[in-house]
Amino acid sequence: MQEVYLQPGDFCFGENQLRITTVLGSCISIILWHRRLAHGGMCHFMLPSALKPSLKLNGKYADEALDLFMLELKKRHTVPANYRVYLYGGGKMFATEKCAQDIGSQNIAKAHQLLQQFGFTVDDEHVGDFGRRRIAFDVWSGAVRITHVDHRA
């Protein structure tokens, strides 16, 4: 088995005995999994969008992470409707954050907007609240394990 740990801004898509893991605070991970073909991927984006476009797609931004996913789908001749979609993260990291102003809430809203725009349907999500999440995605089976730690406790 190969294990890939995603740092903020990383993106991974693959198949076979691949496990993708990450830890999220206010960042978001989107996971796509194709049941029949047993392939999929995960992103770990930090911000809703880039302030200015770059020459190379950057997984730090929600809009560019979705573009990276769409390139993978195109390579594999698949469409959004073929995938199970999971959305995790966007936690508040400080008790003083106001819901409309915190980056986690902005990331959640942008992820929902982009997934809908590209024709994806979210099958499962664990977003918002306080604290961090540890995510492990087994690409070969589609299994996702989430550990949520509320740091206020």
Side-chain angles (χ1 to χ4, degrees), residues 26-47:
S26 60
C27 295
I28 295 277
S29 276
I30 296 171
I31 297 172
L32 300 185
W33 184 63
H34 194 294
R35 180 183 176 130
R36 188 174 53 79
L37 299 177
H39 69 239
M42 181 192 298
C43 69
H44 180 150
F45 74 80
M46 301 164 58
L47 297 167

Side-chain angles (χ1 to χ4, degrees), residues 17-79:
Q17 295 296 307
L18 173 63
R19 173 175 290 150
I20 308 171
T21 64
T22 198
V23 175
L24 304 166
S26 60
C27 295
I28 295 277
S29 276
I30 296 171
I31 297 172
L32 300 185
W33 184 63
H34 194 294
R35 180 183 176 130
R36 188 174 53 79
L37 299 177
H39 69 239
M42 181 192 298
C43 69
H44 180 150
F45 74 80
M46 301 164 58
L47 297 167
S49 58
L51 296 176
K52 53 185 174 178
S54 62
L55 296 176
K56 183 179 175 200
L57 291 176
N58 190 332
K60 291 192 320 191
Y61 308 106
D63 47 0
E64 294 187 22
L66 261 292
D67 288 340
L68 288 167
F69 274 125
M70 294 310 291
L71 288 173
E72 293 294 334
L73 271 63
K74 185 176 181 177
K75 277 194 248 179
R76 290 165 169 76
H77 307 289
T78 58
V79 296

Side-chain angles (χ1 to χ4, degrees), residues 104-119:
S105 293
Q106 293 174 41
N107 282 339
I108 294 165
K110 187 67 170 186
H112 279 133
Q113 181 252 316
L114 288 168
L115 288 167
Q116 182 179 20
Q117 175 185 324
F118 282 99

